[in-house]
Amino acid sequence: MSTILTAAFQTIQRDSAICFPMLGNLTIDPPSYFTVFGFKIYFYGVIIALGFILGIVCCTRICARFGIKEDDMYDTILVIIPTAIIGARLYYVLFELDRYLANPAEIFALRDGGLAIYGGVIGAVLGMLIYTRVRKLKIFPCLDLTGIGLLLGQAIGRWGNFFNREAHGGVTTCFLRMGLVENGALQYFHPTFLYESVWNLTGFVVLHFLSKKRKFDGQMFLAYLAWYGAGRMVIEGLRTDSLWLGPVRVSQLLAAVTMLLSLGILLYQAIFVRHDPAKMQVNRVAAAEAAAAKAAEAQPEETAEPEDAASEPEDEASGKTEESIEPDESKE
């Protein structure tokens, strides 16, 4: 019964208008889905897919900066997208296990929401670990590239929560408050999806430029974990739909742990480790390409030597012919 009421409430909330007092009480009522041949396609899924696509486009544009070939990048992405989706859903389901054990069919209802980003990151990293090991690729450059793409994808994907009227914070009177009809009355909430979207977009810009000055492979992924963890740790504390483990918000705890660990490793690397630029993947690739180009330039010279040597006997032979003719002329 409670599940039916929850589903009915979610439907009502998705159909409610959204107002923004800071924009002159602007009110909009975006649909949560559109219909194609009678089949409902939710904007939640469409926007998350758009985030994936733009994140991939970003990775394509900068993969050479990390010494990664486009073909290797695409192959890796084909592996980690399904593992990321599985991880994101599994993470969410595990912390809502009672609900899904009572309604197993809902486990596969991805269109209704219920993807946890930390589960997606864990799934993507595990998929990448397996794939790079099989293909004998360096994982840290791949993680660096993925971290930057993830921030862009997450910044866009959070707007799927906007269309679902979910992932908002508690009741507030702050300037950025967002109005929704909840429990039959208009209430104003923290638009936490907006906070996180702006935070991630800012992080994407910061990491994009910092990646040009990185000192070692893996640095950008650590920076991603630190940046996202810092923002999520604060924003998660404002949300009303957190996943809980006893008295603890799971994502808030995970965000704090990953942020502290990543910052600790980054500080240690900056203070105590002297990094050799030649060991970075991009510089190894550049050195290998330079050596191959040098070898290609030297190749024509090597092949030219035998031709010069082959021409010498002909000259000698022609000389002998002239000498042999001269005595004949003297006899005449």
Side-chain angles (χ1 to χ4, degrees), residues 5-294:
L5 290 174
T6 300
F9 167 72
Q10 289 175 341
T11 302
I12 293 171
Q13 189 177 26
R14 283 178 183 170
D15 292 336
S16 66
I18 308 170
C19 62
F20 298 92
M22 71 283 198
L23 298 176
N25 214 29
L26 172 68
T27 301
I28 59 175
D29 189 11
S32 59
Y33 66 88
F34 59 95
T35 304
V36 177
F37 300 115
F39 184 76
K40 290 183 179 179
I41 299 177
Y42 285 87
F43 281 104
Y44 174 84
V46 171
I47 293 174
I48 287 179
L50 179 62
F52 267 120
I53 292 169
L54 291 181
I56 291 169
V57 170
C58 167
C59 290
T60 303
R61 298 291 298 273
I62 64 174
C63 64
R65 189 184 300 173
F66 298 89
I68 300 173
K69 296 178 181 178
E70 278 194 33
D71 288 344
D72 289 335
M73 185 205 70
Y74 284 126
D75 290 343
T76 304
I77 287 171
L78 288 175
V79 172
I80 68 173
I81 285 180
T83 60
I85 294 173
I86 292 170
R89 186 57 171 175
L90 186 60
Y91 184 102
Y92 187 87
V93 169
L94 285 175
F95 290 103
E96 292 281 337
L97 197 55
D98 291 340
R99 169 188 168 188
Y100 288 105
L101 285 177
N103 303 275
E106 291 187 8
I107 293 175
F108 305 100
L110 299 181
R111 295 182 303 159
D112 295 333
L115 295 174
I117 184 58
Y118 270 122
V121 172
I122 293 169
V125 171
L126 288 176
M128 190 178 294
L129 276 169
I130 295 170
Y131 183 74
T132 53
R133 189 175 182 85
V134 171
R135 289 290 305 275
K136 297 181 180 180
L137 302 173
K138 299 291 185 182
I139 187 168
F140 290 117
C142 293
L143 287 173
D144 283 339
L145 181 62
T146 301
I148 295 175
L150 272 173
L151 280 173
L152 179 60
Q154 288 174 244
I156 296 165
R158 272 300 172 201
W159 285 90
N161 299 130
F162 170 75
F163 281 89
N164 265 9
R165 281 78 159 172
E166 63 182 5
H168 59 71
V171 175
T172 183
T173 58
C174 77
F175 175 71
L176 294 173
R177 65 190 183 276
M178 173 184 69
L180 280 173
V181 174
E182 192 163 289
N183 297 324
L186 176 63
Q187 299 184 67
Y188 294 97
F189 305 95
H190 281 288
T192 48
F193 71 88
L194 175 61
Y195 301 162
E196 191 170 325
S197 179
V198 172
W199 179 258
N200 291 338
L201 186 60
T202 305
F204 165 73
V205 174
V206 171
L207 264 63
H208 176 73
F209 288 104
L210 285 181
S211 66
K212 299 177 182 179
K213 300 180 180 180
R214 68 191 189 284
K215 302 298 182 183
F216 60 93
D217 290 333
Q219 185 179 6
M220 289 301 98
F221 188 69
L222 288 169
Y224 159 75
L225 292 176
W227 181 277
Y228 180 68
R232 184 64 183 268
M233 181 180 64
V234 175
I235 296 169
E236 187 69 22
L238 300 173
R239 288 176 58 166
T240 59
D241 62 342
S242 298
L243 299 174
W244 293 82
L245 184 61
V248 179
R249 296 174 190 260
V250 179
S251 294
Q252 190 173 38
L253 175 63
L254 190 55
V257 170
T258 55
M259 179 198 69
L260 292 173
L261 282 176
S262 301
L263 282 177
I265 296 171
L266 287 170
L267 287 173
Y268 176 83
Q269 293 286 336
I271 297 171
F272 298 106
V273 180
R274 297 188 67 178
H275 297 284
D276 182 3
K279 292 182 178 180
M280 293 176 62
Q281 173 72 5
V282 64
N283 293 330
R284 287 183 177 184
V285 170
E289 290 176 350
K294 187 175 181 180

